[in-house]
């Protein structure tokens, strides 16, 4: 093994200096990890990572994921050195400059406490919540593998590198993704583990003594162990990992947290607190840096990092030429999606349902998905082992498996959390629109990843079937009560709960049309009558809510969502027989409805007393019914029994709605 | 290896018959797993499990957890055979009778779709959401290990057995708990894995081809592989597992799902759907049962299962005699807790804080916890590697580690989900009051387990620090926005957000006093002034809300929680200078407040226009401010920056509150 050139060592130490200066300037942050992993980052960015600094979004670039997001200064420092984004026109497209490193963790700065996707070029994903970056990387590698299989290595042929921490590997989510990545043989995924043995609460000896590499071998990974401060050893390990064609790779990089700090290296105190002014100086001295100067980058380091830039650009241009020569229209669609997340959905032959027929919205979703599958080849997805219940299998495509990577049906196994986080990775990779599916109740199992879809504005489609106590016999563990309202609380997420089969189409349409955030689709297990929704017009669902039935001389407005819309309509019919005229309003997406102008909202909700009906928590419905109205819902856990029985016994029935209306009206 | 006696085989087949009859009667349920695991269950219940059918709650009984809760008919059938609860007085205390097996999955029946803790004796936990039971079992074993170390094997000396499925092992949560159980060497935990290779969507070959046993070896478990239909082999494996004193055990029981069904055995179709009338008959014939009769239990089977009942009772009585002889008052406290979850908190020397001083509520919680530690030795808990930030370390106790199992500080590692689920197991075991801690934002990482605490009414204490955007520099991934409202949606959960250090004590007091459900405590990272709360009186927090400041001639009511209470008071002071008198209301627990009578609620909220202030989602606040009021809050993701800056820039400041009040008043 050759000796690491001095310039490579200086590059790593420059990263170290920038990282501890940034943390010190902010008086907040995590210096330990950047000090420990600067050698690894140097190796990845100077010797392996394929990118063009003048074209950060080059679709066939290698992806780098910093799963240990608390080490964000490592990423900012190295991105600064590369100058990725140097041809950018807007501020957001331009490289992180040296002054921005000084603004680390300040209001409005792009160098946020944790890497935030979209803030600056080269930040491939938002990390911080542990385990998520690991799964994003697996998702990115899956996307690449799939696209390479479909469109050829001349158009898609890159790697995904990741750096993860002990914490990433303790979280269950990474175990889920690792098991699946091993099963699928996602060989383009190389994760370098910062094996420093230290966490916030001390050494990993207090809680984490398992044999991690043996565990990954059990998952089907290729594993190696190297000295993470020996750049040649790290490079040799990456070479070896790249030579493995049937397994993802985990490289345990034995490092010292806070490497270089004479008094704090190897201690948990260096994990998440600034070194202090004196220790910064001592550390710089120990690293051969000028202790009296901050935010210093020698020209030779810039030159070293950027040495291959001409070749990098040429490589990207060669790719572009190959793609142009190929004239592959299907790949052109993929590129368009990669550009702005858009999809051409004009060719979808949506199924249609006659008013008065009955079907569940999950079955309608199934039919919609078949139409989508044929017309929108960028759609890929699957279920956490509930495809038979969620009805999310695309029959015209095969399963994505090791031997059949062109398949668009993903078998995630019973791993909801990794499923969602991998879909974030697929979406971040670009070129594909991922969906995933489980029972609505199991939203909780992957809620952290849904939050990240929303935070990163990734248009991942979440299909949630069995969306109420109508689940029935499976009982309270399987019956969502609080879930719909909990979904609506997540900023940037839109939750659609269509009232019938035709509206299920429209919900899918909105999910595919949206480009700036995730969409949750709540579908029923049980059959619902297809309603006459002509009053709402084509824009009804798109606006989040509309009047289903205007009634002359109405004295009350009934508001419902999803499977309770027909129930509200039934209640209105009964009320009519008792001389009470009721309007019926359908609010399939509260978040979307809230964004409409006040005039529209008023026109829909009306000035009459209001009663809402939804098979779930009433908390939050006061926004629509006020304190003078009332909500029919369920504020307790459900119960096991046939769905209709459970629903009716918990108050979702016409007599209860009628009684509630009368109470509100004082009638 | 000896041959399994015919009666043991008949017992297993009787369980099989009951299970398929139950599913068939319900026309709903999961016959595959009970058919596959009936032999294993027979071995556990007839040869190993220590229980006294006349005293189901015997504290030193062995625990059995059916993690694969969808196989509930297996549990109901075997509990019926044992007659556990035969001396019960109330319906809930009595054994499941044969007629109840016929009512499987019907409204009001104790034989719910999934096992529901509390419905019938012998159901040790509620399962169904996969992976949870596995972690509950680890938590139970941890509780036993701890109590045995503290009180001696003459008082505590039992085992925890579990049955889990492929799905349990795919979920990340079980990996987290397995890693920790291996680390801690929880040898009293024996999990039998129904290794049938089948899930809903097909064979495990589509998504789960890892080497599970190798993975568990990597975690530090003892592993074995046996034929799950050979009762002698299963028994030999359990014997071997019990002989291992330093490792938990996983026994892979190779089984055929739907064993005995001529046409459906080994197929995924038998997982979650009734066999059908014809196949039930064919299966019974194949198993040597009468195909024409249903719900049949030969007397010889009852006799066989209950053969050792006298000895079982004697064993329990001998334990009781030992405990009585020991006259161990500390163990007496543990027993009292095991009985009804109560704690004697009378000796806690609560810290006190002078009005006008400043401290964060997390620091107040830290001080309270030290006082609790000394006075309430049943309290045990820890953090998911954030003890240094959550401030949840009990200084007067040591760490629970393999060599020091008497320690009451639990190092969960970065495993929030397993942490919460293990705490459910500790609480279900009884004798201890578990708490656990993480940042509020990471509630999402263990929300499914919190829901189960609530569903099972287990008084687990959830400590959530860093409860708002005041987290600051860590940025949006670490700043809760929607989390407080999401907590409040979970039925049976109570969320306390105290406004200052003294109220933090009171919140802890409520958490320890509550016996019928979990409590979430939201604490600040930042300092808060200690307020004059004398107006609220001693019952203020206990009632969930109270008037902090009554103001003569008030024209508006400001409502706030936690760290926004002083801000609301500040705003009121500013408003006063502008001639607007404002009342200030503190609502530390909305759920508790909602339970107060209408008169009290009206007296607190008042008839004036209302404005709420909380550093989080406004959705849901309309319940308290109505449509004529307004909410100051945050309905977008946060941002990185110093906490005060972020909070103020997002509208949590006096000028914005004042402006909002004026808008509401039309002033």
């Amino acid at each position: 093994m050759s000796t690491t050139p001095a310039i490579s060592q200086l590059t790593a130490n420059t990263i170290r200096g920038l990282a501890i200066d940034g943390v010190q300037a902010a008086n907040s942050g995590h210096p330990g990890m950047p000090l420990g992993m600067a050698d690894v980052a140097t190796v990845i960015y100077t010797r392996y990572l394929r990118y063009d600094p003048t074209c950060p979004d080059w679709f066939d670039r290698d992806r780098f994921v910093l799963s240990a997001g608390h080490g964000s200064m490592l990423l900012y420092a190295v991105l600064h050195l590369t100058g990725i984004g140097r041809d950018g026109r807007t501020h957001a497209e331009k490289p992180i400059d040296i002054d921005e490193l000084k603004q680390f963790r300040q209001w409005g700065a792009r160098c946020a406490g944790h890497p935030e996707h979209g803030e600056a070029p080269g930040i491939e994903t938002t990390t911080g919540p542990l385990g998520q970056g690991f799964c994003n990387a697996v998702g990115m590698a899956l996307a690449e593998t799939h696209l390479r299989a479909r469109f050829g290595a001349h158009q898609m042929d890159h790697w995904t590198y990741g750096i993860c921490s002990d914490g990433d590997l303790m979280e269950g989510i990474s175990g889920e993704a690792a098991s699946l990545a091993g099963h699928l043989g996602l060989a383009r995924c190389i994760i370098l583990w910062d094996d420093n043995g230290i966490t916030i609460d001390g050494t990993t000896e207090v809680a984490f003594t398992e044999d991690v590499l043996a565990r990954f071998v059990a998952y089907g990974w290729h594993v190696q162990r190297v000295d993470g401060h020996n750049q040649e050893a790290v490079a040799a390990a990456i070479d070896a990992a790249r030579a493995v064609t049937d397994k993802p790779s985990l490289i345990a990089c034995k490092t010292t947290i806070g490497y270089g700090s004479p008094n704090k290296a190897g201690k948990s105190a260096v994990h998440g607190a600034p070194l202090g002014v004196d220790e910064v100086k001592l550390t710089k001295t120990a690293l051969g840096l000028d202790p009296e100067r901050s935010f210093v980058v020698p020209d030779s380091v810039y030159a070293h990092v950027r040495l291959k830039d001409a070749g990098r650009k040429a490589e990207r241009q060669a790719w572009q030429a190959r793609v142009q020569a190929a004239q592959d229209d299907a790949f052109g669609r993929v590129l368009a999606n990669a550009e702005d997340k858009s999809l051409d959905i004009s060719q979808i032959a949506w199924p249609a349902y006659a008013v008065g027929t009955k079907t569940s919205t999950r079955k309608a979703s199934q039919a919609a998905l078949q139409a989508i599958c044929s017309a929108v080849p960028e759609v890929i997805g699957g279920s956490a082992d509930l495809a038979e219940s969620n009805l999310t299998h695309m029959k015209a495509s095969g399963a994505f498996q090791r031997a059949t990577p062109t398949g668009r049906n993903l078998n995630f196994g019973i791993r909801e959390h990794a499923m969602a986080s991998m879909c974030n990775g697929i979406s971040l990779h670009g070129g594909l629109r991922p969906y995933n599916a489980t029972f609505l109740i199991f939203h909780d199992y992957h809620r952290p990843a849904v939050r990240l879809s929303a935070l990163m504005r990734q248009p991942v489609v979440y299909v949630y079937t069995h969306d109420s106590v109508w689940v029935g016999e499976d009982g309270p563990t399987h019956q969502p009560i609080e879930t719909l309202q909990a979904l609506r609380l997540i900023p940037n997420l839109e939750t659609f709960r269509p009232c019938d089969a035709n509206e299920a189409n429209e919900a899918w349409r909105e999910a595919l049309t949206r480009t700036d955030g995730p969409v949750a689709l709540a579908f029923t297990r049980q059959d619902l009558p297809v309603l006459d929704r002509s009053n709402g017009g084509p824009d009804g669902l798109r606006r989040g809510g509309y009047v289903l039935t205007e009634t002359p001389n109405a004295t009350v407005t009934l508001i419902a969502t999803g499977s309770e819309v027909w129930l509200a309509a039934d209640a209105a019919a009964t009320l009519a027989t008792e001389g009470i005229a009721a309007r019926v309003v359908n609010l399939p997406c509260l978040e979307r409805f809230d964004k409409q102008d006040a005039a529209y909202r008023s026109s829909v909700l009306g000035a009459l007393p209001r009663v809402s009906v939804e098979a779930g928590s009433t908390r939050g419905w006061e926004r629509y019914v006020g304190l003078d109205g009332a909500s029919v819902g369920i504020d307790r856990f459900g119960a096991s029994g046939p769905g209709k029985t459970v629903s009716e016994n918990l108050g979702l029935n016409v007599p209860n709605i009628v009684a509630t209306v009368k109470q509100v009206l004082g009638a």
Side-chain angles (χ1 to χ4, degrees), chain A:
Chain A
M1 203 169 283
S2 61
T3 313
T4 297
I7 185 62
S8 299
Q9 202 54 66
L10 180 61
T11 300
N13 287 340
T14 300
I15 292 170
R16 290 186 168 103
L18 293 174
I20 61 179
D21 284 342
V23 171
Q24 196 59 46
N27 198 25
S28 168
H30 299 74
M33 186 279 201
L35 288 173
M37 289 297 277
D39 290 303
V40 171
T42 299
V43 171
I44 293 172
Y45 272 85
T46 60
R47 306 197 200 183
Y48 293 96
L49 202 74
R50 182 165 91 154
Y51 62 92
D52 176 0
T54 67
C55 184
D57 293 335
W58 173 25
F59 189 43
D60 201 22
R61 72 191 180 279
D62 286 346
R63 305 302 196 269
F64 174 77
V65 171
L66 185 74
S67 191
H70 54 273
S72 54
M73 266 309 297
L74 177 72
L75 183 61
Y76 301 142
V78 77
L79 287 177
H80 169 70
L81 297 184
T82 61
I84 286 178
R86 69 183 58 143
D87 285 358
R89 285 154 305 177
T90 67
H91 178 59
E93 289 172 357
K94 287 184 176 161
I96 292 168
D97 68 27
I98 198 89
D99 287 330
E100 290 184 276
L101 295 179
K102 299 175 185 172
Q103 290 299 307
F104 180 50
R105 290 186 159 234
Q106 302 311 303
W107 177 266
R110 294 196 297 170
C111 296
H114 292 79
E116 302 293 339
H117 175 67
E119 287 289 313
I123 304 177
E124 299 281 5
T125 179
T126 295
T127 50
L130 291 168
Q132 301 287 343
F134 184 102
C135 299
N136 295 165
V138 170
M140 290 173 184
L142 186 149
E144 190 275 346
T145 303
H146 175 75
L147 292 169
R148 178 159 36 90
R150 274 172 65 184
F151 299 104
H154 59 294
Q155 300 194 104
M156 177 79 4
D157 187 26
H158 65 84
W159 294 78
T160 300
Y161 297 93
I163 286 182
C164 80
S165 61
D166 292 305
D168 286 300
L169 299 182
M170 281 192 249
E171 292 286 2
I173 181 176
S174 61
E176 293 177 5
S179 178
L180 190 52
H183 167 78
L184 295 172
L186 299 176
R188 293 303 183 95
C189 183
I190 300 179
I191 306 288
L192 295 106
W193 163 34
D194 180 16
D195 180 14
N196 62 34
I198 295 291
T199 62
I200 291 177
D201 283 352
T203 81
T204 51
E205 290 297 313
V206 303
F208 190 51
T209 52
E210 62 167 69
D211 183 342
V212 173
L213 293 191
R215 171 156 68 95
F216 273 73
V217 169
Y219 291 138
W221 285 53
H222 179 258
V223 304
Q224 298 173 80
R225 190 186 300 277
V226 298
D227 173 0
H229 299 305
N230 182 333
Q231 294 190 23
E232 305 316 305
V234 171
I238 293 176
D239 283 339
R242 288 171 57 108
V244 175
T245 58
D246 60 348
K247 290 176 178 177
S249 271
L250 181 70
I251 303 173
C253 303
K254 198 74 203 167
T255 64
T256 302
I257 192 169
Y259 179 88
S261 165
N263 298 303
K264 298 194 173 175
K267 294 177 184 164
S268 64
V270 78
H271 169 87
L275 291 177
V277 174
D278 293 343
E279 190 68 14
V280 165
K281 290 183 182 177
L282 293 174
T283 303
K284 287 182 181 171
T285 302
L287 293 170
L289 305 174
D290 182 343
E292 300 306 324
R293 294 175 61 212
S294 298
F295 296 104
V296 174
V297 180
D299 286 344
S300 62
V301 168
Y302 284 125
H304 177 64
V305 173
R306 301 176 186 191
L307 192 62
K308 302 180 193 165
D309 279 2
R312 288 175 172 133
K313 187 169 186 168
E315 208 173 346
R316 194 255 307 165
Q317 288 170 330
W319 171 84
Q320 215 148 21
R322 286 197 302 276
V323 169
Q324 271 158 10
Q327 296 192 305
D328 182 340
D329 289 347
F331 194 65
R333 289 179 59 111
V334 166
L335 285 174
N337 177 272
E339 177 86 16
D340 61 5
K341 309 292 181 200
S342 66
L343 296 170
D344 174 1
I345 64 166
S346 61
Q347 298 308 307
I348 300 175
W350 296 103
Y353 303 88
V355 171
T357 58
K358 289 187 90 171
T359 188
S360 65
T361 47
R362 69 168 166 156
K363 277 191 203 138
S365 164
Q366 179 183 38
L369 192 53
Q370 306 318 309
I372 292 165
C373 176
S374 308
V376 192
E378 298 77 32
V379 170
I380 185 172
S383 162
D385 195 57
L386 289 172
E388 298 301 312
S389 296
N390 302 139
L391 305 180
T392 45
H393 187 79
M394 296 184 287
K395 295 170 192 170
S397 185
F400 181 105
Q401 289 288 346
R402 178 187 290 260
T404 54
T406 59
R408 291 159 56 198
N409 289 292
L410 304 177
N411 289 104
F412 287 103
I414 304 167
R415 307 180 180 104
E416 297 83 6
H417 203 175
M419 171 172 77
S421 192
M422 285 174 61
C423 283
N424 283 337
I426 294 169
S427 179
L428 288 161
H429 181 278
L432 297 168
R433 174 65 59 94
Y435 70 88
N436 67 76
T438 185
F439 290 155
L440 178 58
I441 190 67
F442 297 131
H443 159 69
D444 281 356
Y445 266 70
H446 66 197
R447 186 168 170 88
V450 177
R451 187 178 205 266
L452 284 163
S453 304
L455 179 56
M456 295 190 280
R457 295 197 166 277
Q458 295 302 304
V460 174
V461 183
Y462 291 93
V463 178
Y464 295 122
T465 69
H466 296 60
D467 75 344
S468 76
V469 294
W470 274 89
V471 163
E473 289 87 348
D474 276 343
T477 55
H478 284 55
Q479 292 168 343
I481 297 294
E482 69 282 26
T483 321
L484 287 168
Q485 291 291 33
L487 281 164
R488 293 166 182 150
L489 288 168
I490 300 176
N492 301 351
L493 176 69
E494 292 188 330
T495 309
F496 287 89
R497 190 169 188 246
C499 72
D500 71 3
N502 288 317
E503 199 160 87
N505 285 336
E506 295 177 18
W508 260 111
R509 182 197 64 203
E510 288 310 304
L512 298 182
T513 306
R514 192 166 192 218
T515 58
D516 64 350
V519 168
L521 303 175
F523 295 126
T524 64
R525 178 191 188 204
Q526 76 276 18
D527 283 350
L528 302 179
V530 175
L531 302 177
D532 177 356
R533 296 158 53 254
S534 52
N535 193 57
D539 264 353
L541 174 123
R542 191 174 281 139
R543 301 185 78 162
Y546 57 92
V547 181
L548 185 79
T549 319
E550 256 325 344
T551 312
N553 307 315
T555 54
V556 65
T557 298
L558 293 174
I559 305 171
T561 77
S563 56
E564 282 66 69
V565 174
W566 71 264
L567 184 63
D570 256 23
T574 300
L575 283 165
T577 66
E578 302 191 28
I580 300 174
R583 302 164 74 237
V584 181
V585 163
N586 179 12
L587 291 189
C589 180
L590 302 190
E591 306 96 305
R592 186 72 71 87
F593 184 70
D594 289 353
K595 287 177 207 153
Q596 305 305 312
D597 60 49
Y600 182 74
R601 282 185 284 123
S602 293
S603 76
V604 172
L605 295 177
L608 303 171
R610 304 165 194 161
V611 172
S612 70
V613 189
E614 183 173 78
S617 301
T618 61
R619 185 181 291 277
W621 271 104
E622 292 84 359
R623 174 169 292 189
Y624 308 95
V625 301
L627 297 181
D628 302 327
S631 294
V632 173
I634 307 174
D635 289 309
R636 48 158 282 185
F637 287 111
S640 176
K644 187 170 162 36
T645 307
V646 174
S647 174
E648 291 204 346
N649 286 358
L650 295 180
L652 275 296
N653 58 57
V654 168
N656 189 32
I657 298 170
V658 168
T660 305
V661 166
K662 288 181 180 170
Q663 199 177 1
V664 165
L665 296 181

